[in-house]
Amino acid sequence: MSSPLDTRPSSAASTVNVLIVDDQRPFRDAARTVVSVIKGWQVVAEAASGEDAVAAAEATSPAIVLMDINLPGISGIEATRRIVEAAPEIRVILLSTYQADDLPADALTCGAAAYVRKEDLTPRVLRDVAAAS
């Protein structure tokens, strides 16, 4: 049986539901486009703040959350911590413009499955990161 993160083509594969969290609409639009070209993946919700991200994750139970680090209200790092604490099966991928070496220290301990620079977010990178998580 395939897992919800299995990205291999299969007629029996379940849909991978994705929550996109970013306070900038243009980036949410770009991320939605990236997700939409991956067969079997769909965006189930979007959020523009950390608090909204936690509520949306609870309401929609996505398999993957694409989470910006810098958000109004609680940070993406704190939102990740809360989401993963409540639902450890959800895989959160942190996103930012930071180089990996410049990430805040708590980004490494918040429970995120991976970190991807925003400019590196492509369908292939997203599939690869999700499969490795």
Side-chain angles (χ1 to χ4, degrees), residues 7-21:
T7 58
R8 292 173 294 172
S10 166
S11 58
S14 60
T15 300
V16 176
N17 292 326
V18 179
L19 166 61
I20 298 171
V21 184

Side-chain angles (χ1 to χ4, degrees), residues 6 18 25 37 45 50 53 56 59 63 65 72 78 84 86 89 99 106 116 120:
D6 189 350
V18 179
R25 175 166 292 288
V37 300
V65 177
E78 179 58 27
V84 172
E89 70 280 4
Q99 294 291 337
D106 51 351
V116 174
D120 296 332

Side-chain angles (χ1 to χ4, degrees), residues 39-54:
K39 183 177 172 134
W41 289 39
Q42 70 178 1
V43 174
V44 293
E46 295 181 18
S49 72
E51 291 85 355
D52 289 346
V54 173

Side-chain angles (χ1 to χ4, degrees), residues 1 39-40 66 79 88 91-93 99 121 127 129:
M1 170 170 263
K39 183 177 172 134
L66 301 179
R91 299 293 175 243
V92 179
I93 299 171
Q99 294 291 337
L121 187 66
R127 281 192 309 261
V129 168

Side-chain angles (χ1 to χ4, degrees), residues 30-118:
R32 188 179 331 102
T33 298
V34 169
V35 170
S36 73
V37 300
I38 303 173
K39 183 177 172 134
W41 289 39
Q42 70 178 1
V43 174
V44 293
E46 295 181 18
S49 72
E51 291 85 355
D52 289 346
V54 173
E58 184 178 324
T60 63
S61 298
I64 296 175
V65 177
L66 301 179
M67 178 76 71
D68 185 24
I69 289 177
N70 295 313
L71 295 169
I74 63 170
S75 71
I77 292 170
E78 179 58 27
T80 296
R81 186 175 286 111
R82 293 179 188 186
I83 289 168
V84 172
E85 213 170 78
E89 70 280 4
I90 296 175
R91 299 293 175 243
V92 179
I93 299 171
L94 290 177
L95 302 168
S96 188
T97 57
Y98 294 120
Q99 294 291 337
D101 293 341
D102 296 328
L103 284 173
D106 51 351
L108 305 175
T109 60
C110 67
Y115 171 71
V116 174
R117 292 185 69 214
K118 286 182 175 182

